[in-house]
Amino acid sequence: MKYRNKNDTILSAVLMTFILLLILVSDIYPQGETTAPPPLTWISPEEFSVNTTNTIRLAVDVSNDVRKNDIEKIIFSAKYYNYIGFNDEQKIGEVTKPPYEIIWDCSQIPDQNFGKLSLKCYVHYKKGTAAGEELILSYGTNVVLDRNPSLNTRQILSDHMDRPVIIDGNLDEWPPTETIVFTNADNKIMVNSLWDEKNLYFGVRVNDKNIISTFGPGNTIVTGMPTEDDIEIYLDIDHNHSEIIAYPDRHFLFAPAGMVYEVKYYPHDFITSDEYHPRIVSVVHIEGTMNDNSDEDKYYSFEIAIPWSELGIEPHQNVSMGLEIWNSDKEYPDGNYIYSGWNTSASNCKNTSEWGNIVLVRTNIHSKKNVLMYVITGCIVLIIGFIFIRKYAGKKHDSCAIENEFIIKAKTYIEEHYGEEELSRDQVAQFIGLTPSYFGKLFTRETGCHFREYVNKVRIDKSKLLLSSTMKNIAEIAFDVGFSSQSHYTHVFNHFENTSPRQYRSMTQIHK
């Protein structure tokens, strides 16, 4: 009986020891986790590193691989963005023995922003080993290639406004301001900027013969939008000139059909997020017909208001941000697209250190100081005019002669500039030295018609000569005489002549 009790005691002790070992092992190696080190460690270049030379050292460490003696070779490769898109993965070279590293000459590829240049290595094991002929994609890394050490000095001055900009897509109301101009194939892109205490404004006009856009307001699918006609605005909000775009940097996209959305970048988390209806106001105006290649379009223009509260900035003079503008252009609904930027290429457009600059200033004609000067000047002109009238009271003929002198100058100016689409009453008034309001009333009284009607009549008369004496098509003639579109020209022509330009040409040719 005692023998059995002793054996029971021993058995119980063994069981307790085994249970304690199980508990200890479970504490050291929790279920579902592993402490085994990865077989390969990427040494160079480090993730998020910025490489500034034409050579890059690629190196890995395999000391943690229990099969390291069975490695036959390690192959290094690169995938990057060239001038037309991502290349097929390119073999850089291979190494058959430690140290596993190689020097890559990358002088033949363009600079790459983060996400465009991916470096990888593949491990091959010897035949007949435990790994057999296994091919393992071990590790990869994403880096930046930026061999331009200088910051971009190009800039645009954004002028202050004392009154809000009316966002209606019409840029004719904008005062003369500094303009960004760049081209994308046969497109010409012109960008202006204004600001007030609530908003940062952009006015963008794209001269485009074929406007292609199917992304209208309310869309929540953005796939393919940047491959049609569009404008993209990038802002480096904190102006830190970083080589890697990251929120709060902003990227807005605008489609001529009306859709607006934003992409936000969080590179350290390897994610981006899309916002389909950002809190900005944008209105587009189109001179032409979208998605119709049977005619020739003229342009599309955006007026954009971005609230300072959205950007997290307190606006004041000399505030500066990084700025980049991009345009995509598609000529046919089923065709390819081309793209171009103000400062960057497709491979480095998200490198904020390559962008230009936007600087807030208070120098335009709408500042309070200058408006006061105009008011004072206007008062002086009125006083002089009053004295003049008193001095020559009763001499109506002489007074009319002076007023007619203004009208003669105005008509001469119109005759010389009727072909300019931007010709306006204010422009002519400034030329002859009268206020726009007084000039408009004087012109109507002396000529019997409003300024715009007179200009249109001059343009129609000039176009009649071209219709009867040249073989130019009607669209060319419309633009030659200052109309913004063929449809508008045809409407005005019908108003004055009670017939269409085409019918008028036909009648004049018959008579000849």
Side-chain angles (χ1 to χ4, degrees), residues 204-217:
V204 184
R205 171 168 167 157
V206 182
N207 290 351
D208 191 346
K209 294 180 180 178
N210 290 293
I211 303 174
I212 306 297
S213 182
T214 58
F215 289 82

Side-chain angles (χ1 to χ4, degrees), residues 148 150-155 241 342-343 353-357:
N148 177 20
S150 301
L151 293 177
N152 197 332
T153 59
R154 297 174 72 180
Q155 67 177 25
H241 305 286
W342 178 34
N343 297 287
S353 70
E354 299 293 333
W355 297 354
N357 309 277

Side-chain angles (χ1 to χ4, degrees), residues 53 289 329 417:
T53 66
T289 51
D329 179 39
H417 298 271

Side-chain angles (χ1 to χ4, degrees), residues 97-245:
K97 59 183 180 180
Y100 293 106
E101 64 178 57
I102 196 168
I103 303 298
W104 178 38
D105 178 2
C106 56
S107 59
Q108 300 304 310
I109 73 170
D111 283 356
Q112 307 283 309
N113 58 235
F114 187 81
K116 296 286 176 67
L117 175 56
S118 176
L119 302 174
K120 297 180 180 179
C121 73
Y122 296 85
V123 179
H124 291 255
Y125 293 94
K126 297 175 183 176
K127 295 180 180 179
T129 64
E133 298 183 27
E134 183 180 8
L135 180 65
I136 298 178
L137 174 60
S138 298
Y139 273 96
T141 189
N142 288 276
V143 297
V144 173
L145 184 59
D146 183 1
R147 291 155 296 189
N148 177 20
S150 301
L151 293 177
N152 197 332
T153 59
R154 297 174 72 180
Q155 67 177 25
I156 180 174
L157 301 181
S158 179
D159 286 334
H160 181 263
M161 292 286 286
D162 286 321
R163 61 180 185 275
V165 175
I166 299 173
I167 306 301
D168 58 6
N170 181 11
L171 301 180
D172 293 340
E173 301 166 352
W174 280 49
T177 59
E178 196 169 89
T179 306
I180 292 172
V181 179
F182 67 97
T183 59
N184 179 22
D186 62 346
N187 279 11
K188 182 179 180 181
I189 301 92
M190 294 156 284
V191 183
N192 301 88
S193 181
L194 298 167
W195 68 282
D196 59 24
E197 278 61 37
K198 291 186 177 180
N199 298 297
L200 174 64
Y201 301 99
F202 287 99
V204 184
R205 171 168 167 157
V206 182
N207 290 351
D208 191 346
K209 294 180 180 178
N210 290 293
I211 303 174
I212 306 297
S213 182
T214 58
F215 289 82
N219 278 22
T220 56
I221 298 175
V222 298
T223 303
M225 176 180 163
T227 66
E228 297 183 349
D229 291 347
D230 85 336
I231 280 291
E232 302 179 34
I233 296 178
Y234 294 85
L235 291 170
D236 179 9
I237 301 300
D238 50 10
H239 215 188
N240 62 356
H241 305 286
S242 171
E243 290 84 0
I244 300 176
I245 187 173

Side-chain angles (χ1 to χ4, degrees), residues 39-44 57-63 65 67-76 94-103 121-126:
L40 181 146
T41 303
W42 192 280
I43 302 298
S44 176
R57 173 177 173 258
L58 285 77
V60 295
D61 178 17
V62 297
S63 58
D65 190 347
R67 303 164 296 180
K68 60 186 175 185
N69 294 326
D70 296 330
I71 293 177
E72 176 183 337
K73 60 185 176 181
I74 292 182
I75 296 177
F76 292 96
E94 62 182 59
V95 185
T96 58
K97 59 183 180 180
Y100 293 106
E101 64 178 57
I102 196 168
I103 303 298
C121 73
Y122 296 85
V123 179
H124 291 255
Y125 293 94
K126 297 175 183 176

